[in-house]
Amino acid sequence: MTSRPAAADLSHGRAFRPTPAEIAAAAGRTIPDLVGPDLRVLFSGINPSLYSAATGHHFARPGNRFWPALHRSGFTARLLHPSEQDELPEAGLGITNVVARATARADELSPAELVAGGELLTALVDRWRPRYLAVLGVTAYRTAFNRPKATMGPQPDRIAGVPVWVLPNPSGLNAHYTAETLAAAFAELGATAG
């Protein structure tokens, strides 16, 4: 398994909260992938937020609904804090991103970056062979993998031989999905992935 060490995650029993200066300084940083063998699902975000890059944890920005959706859909037995991300491989789950570079908003990424990221993601999937790849964001998936007509849900095409499922972006900025509809979309994949 590859992941970021959790040594500096907690300060006096509380989760680390970066300052505005630390968040701004995180532009362009990366977060290590959370991958390993025997994954049921490898979740791929579009790219890390500045908040996530500052903390070193995937989907860490307050208001991001990834962790609640993961729990409400039954992927995890309890609601995990982003600092507990290292518990996911035990549940057969991993996290990566299409593009590794942190930005304030995903729309700061160029189409060329998404395509290059799609190639790197394909190599990662080929190496670890998860049962499913879940890409969190249909627009990023369309661009990264040249699938302009892709919709949410299971895809007809595979990546490196692995079935692909497109899920909604869990960012709090994605107002098209409520916490309930997001969890329902995750649960549909969960029912298929076992």
Side-chain angles (χ1 to χ4, degrees), residues 163-191:
V164 179
W165 203 286
V166 175
L167 291 170
N169 182 338
S171 167
L173 300 174
N174 183 0
H176 297 291
Y177 286 85
T178 65
E180 291 75 27
T181 57
L182 190 63
F186 275 59
E188 192 177 345
L189 169 60

Side-chain angles (χ1 to χ4, degrees), residues 10-23:
L10 298 178
S11 173
H12 305 346
R14 292 188 354 227
F16 169 69
R17 288 184 171 257
T19 66
E22 289 169 327
I23 293 169

Side-chain angles (χ1 to χ4, degrees), residues 53-132:
T55 65
H57 301 299
H58 294 276
F59 303 105
R61 181 182 175 152
N64 190 297
R65 299 166 296 171
F66 175 79
W67 298 100
L70 209 59
H71 173 59
R72 286 181 176 186
S73 64
F75 275 108
T76 59
R78 65 180 178 85
L79 177 60
L80 298 175
H81 184 272
S83 65
E84 298 175 296
Q85 68 185 20
D86 290 337
E87 294 184 24
L88 289 182
E90 290 177 30
L93 307 173
I95 304 175
T96 188
N97 288 286
V98 175
V99 174
R101 167 176 90 87
T103 61
R105 295 178 55 100
D107 61 8
E108 295 175 33
L109 302 173
S110 71
E113 278 183 287
L114 288 166
V115 170
E119 292 170 2
L120 292 172
L121 180 55
T122 299
L124 186 74
V125 168
D126 190 43
R127 177 179 178 197
W128 292 107
R129 312 297 302 168
R131 276 192 251 159
Y132 283 89

Side-chain angles (χ1 to χ4, degrees), residues 118-159:
E119 292 170 2
L120 292 172
L121 180 55
T122 299
L124 186 74
V125 168
D126 190 43
R127 177 179 178 197
W128 292 107
R129 312 297 302 168
R131 276 192 251 159
Y132 283 89
L133 170 65
V135 179
L136 307 176
V138 69
T139 303
Y141 176 76
R142 288 172 180 162
T143 303
F145 296 100
N146 193 26
R147 304 288 193 274
K149 296 183 180 183
T151 60
M152 294 292 178
Q155 302 302 302
D157 302 316
R158 293 174 176 242
I159 293 176

